[in-house]
Amino acid sequence: ADFQLTGNLLVCDEWQDSLVEIVASNNLLEGTIPANLGSFPALAQLWLDDNTLSGNPISVLNQLSQLESLHLGSNQFTGIIDDAFLANAKQLQALDVSNNQFTSTSFPPHLLEFPELLVLDLNRNNLQGSLPSSVPTNSVLRFFSVYKNALQGSIPATIANLNGLWHLDLSSNSFTGLLPSDIFSDNIYNLLLADLPTLQQGLLPKSIDNLVNLEELSLRNSNRLGPLPEFSSTEYLYLVDLSENKFTSTIPGSYSDLMLSYLFLGQNSIEGTVPPLVVDILELENTALFGDLSCTNVTMAIVPCNHVFSSCPCCQCCEDCISDDSVHLDWTWEGEFDREWDLVDESKLTPAR
């Protein structure tokens, strides 16, 4: 039968020279990471995510120079992530401290410079300060998330130097200034830039129409304006959230060629007729769209309560039907990426098509 570990995490000093990994994810462990863990020089894998551990583990972690994978997500850890954090763990390949209570006064630049790091997940903490103004070239990092922190300042144009990224999530921070056009990289699969209303108002770059690998795009509430993007070359796209912006004009006819799971366009100044669409969930709240939504290829359409669609058996009229976490509807890839980590084999890490 399935069972879960409870109580405090204890490690015996007798294992000091031989202990290579601790894998205790998804249990009911509580208390703190024991101080003697820092004297285990061979420890390479530390998986303690999804427990109820607490306290400040940073002084212990900083002693583990052989770490390759560190997963502390979804606990109650505290501490300041600074320039010394894991600075000696040069072989680090996965770093996930998401959904904790870590803080920072500025974003440590070295986190983007580990020579072998593939996953950097810092989402849902209280990191403050700004991203480094000069990001060095890094073609190794694949996954970078700072979703739901308190980062400020501008998004540096040099973030494009992370030219191997497949997943970039800067959502729900307090960034200001321009949204760099180079952030729309050909390599990107998941680009999540939602709930950034303090960005300077601006248009989307034309290059967004040519992101051939794009799967998820959220620009919800990011102060974007102008016409909707065409998405003329995005064969794999399944989530588009452009809601709560200042987009104008009509829905491009090219959207008829997309096969989407989610299309959120509500709370924009778009008007005109809706072209034929293939989409599971369509959201058009607070728009001036009209026409015939026959629902042949639409599972559910969320529309204005005073909508003027002549035919719409799949229409629903409601307030706030889409939750604040709609931009993160599909974390399947992240889960598989983290949970199935065993060999650093790039062919295994490529998102499935």
Side-chain angles (χ1 to χ4, degrees):
D2 292 339
F3 68 94
Q4 289 183 299
L5 300 174
T6 61
N8 295 331
L9 177 68
L10 300 174
V11 289
C12 298
D13 289 332
E14 289 81 0
W15 307 336
Q16 191 173 75
D17 296 324
S18 58
L19 187 65
V20 174
E21 64 179 43
I22 297 175
V23 179
S25 305
N26 296 296
N27 283 288
L28 300 172
L29 296 174
E30 57 188 5
T32 61
I33 290 180
N36 68 328
L37 190 65
S39 59
F40 283 64
L43 190 64
Q45 304 279 336
L46 184 56
W47 298 66
L48 297 174
D49 46 305
D50 295 289
N51 282 283
T52 55
L53 295 164
S54 59
N56 184 345
I58 290 179
S59 63
V60 175
L61 298 174
N62 284 351
Q63 300 175 58
L64 301 175
S65 62
Q66 300 303 307
L67 271 181
E68 297 176 2
S69 291
L70 176 62
H71 295 264
L72 301 182
S74 298
N75 281 285
Q76 299 165 23
F77 290 122
T78 60
I80 298 174
I81 294 178
D82 59 16
D83 289 340
F85 180 60
L86 299 175
N88 295 320
K90 303 300 184 183
Q91 302 175 65
L92 200 61
Q93 298 162 1
L95 172 55
D96 180 358
V97 296
S98 61
N99 196 21
N100 279 286
Q101 299 165 31
F102 290 112
T103 62
S104 70
T105 55
S106 62
F107 190 93
H110 74 282
L111 296 182
L112 299 174
E113 298 174 8
F114 284 107
E116 299 182 27
L117 191 65
L118 291 159
V119 176
L120 178 55
D121 194 350
L122 306 170
N123 84 76
R124 288 171 294 169
N125 281 284
N126 190 31
L127 303 183
Q128 301 180 39
S130 58
L131 293 175
S133 59
S134 180
V135 177
T137 299
N138 182 336
S139 59
V140 177
L141 190 64
R142 295 286 183 260
F143 184 106
F144 179 36
S145 175
V146 289
Y147 163 63
K148 221 164 196 178
N149 278 279
L151 294 170
Q152 300 175 322
S154 61
I155 299 173
T158 53
I159 201 168
N161 288 339
L162 303 176
N163 54 31
L165 279 181
W166 293 337
H167 182 112
L168 176 61
D169 191 348
L170 305 180
S171 302
S172 300
N173 283 281
S174 299
F175 294 121
T176 55
L178 294 170
L179 180 63
S181 59
D182 289 344
I183 207 170
F184 298 92
S185 161
D186 291 345
N187 296 325
I188 205 77
Y189 291 85
N190 304 324
L191 183 58
L192 305 174
L193 304 169
D195 296 317
L196 301 174
T198 51
L199 283 177
Q200 184 174 324
Q201 184 172 279
L203 300 166
L204 291 177
K206 289 291 185 183
S207 59
I208 197 173
D209 292 329
N210 300 311
L211 302 185
V212 295
N213 293 310
L214 193 62
E215 295 180 353
E216 296 185 16
L217 174 70
S218 181
L219 290 160
R220 182 185 68 187
N221 190 24
S222 61
N223 216 3
R224 299 304 92 194
L225 50 73
L228 294 171
E230 296 279 345
F231 297 126
S232 53
S233 303
T234 49
E235 179 181 355
Y236 304 108
L237 193 62
Y238 68 87
L239 182 151
V240 176
D241 187 353
L242 302 174
S243 61
E244 299 180 41
N245 280 291
K246 301 178 178 66
F247 290 114
T248 55
S249 191
T250 61
I251 300 178
S254 57
Y255 283 35
S256 297
D257 298 325
L258 302 175
M259 298 183 65
L260 299 170
S261 296
Y262 310 98
L263 177 59
F264 303 149
L265 300 176
Q267 299 187 56
N268 281 292
S269 299
I270 52 177
E271 57 187 6
T273 59
V274 178
L277 297 171
V278 180
V279 58
D280 290 333
I281 299 178
L282 173 66
E283 191 267 318
L284 302 174
E285 280 278 359
N286 295 325
T287 64
L289 295 162
F290 60 89
D292 181 1
L293 276 178
S294 63
C295 299
T296 303
N297 294 307
V298 178
T299 304
M300 180 175 69
I302 301 165
V303 299
C305 291
N306 59 348
H307 74 84
V308 290
F309 296 107
S310 56
S311 173
C312 190
C314 62
C315 280
Q316 292 190 18
C317 161
C318 58
E319 297 293 333
D320 299 323
C321 290
I322 304 301
S323 74
D324 286 342
D325 288 327
S326 61
V327 11
H328 303 279
L329 280 166
D330 191 337
W331 288 101
T332 303
W333 179 56
E334 181 195 12
E336 291 175 351
F337 195 94
D338 284 347
R339 299 294 180 190
E340 296 180 3
W341 196 283
D342 53 1
L343 295 173
V344 183
D345 178 350
E346 190 162 311
S347 65
K348 293 180 64 177
L349 301 178
T350 304
R353 290 301 189 197

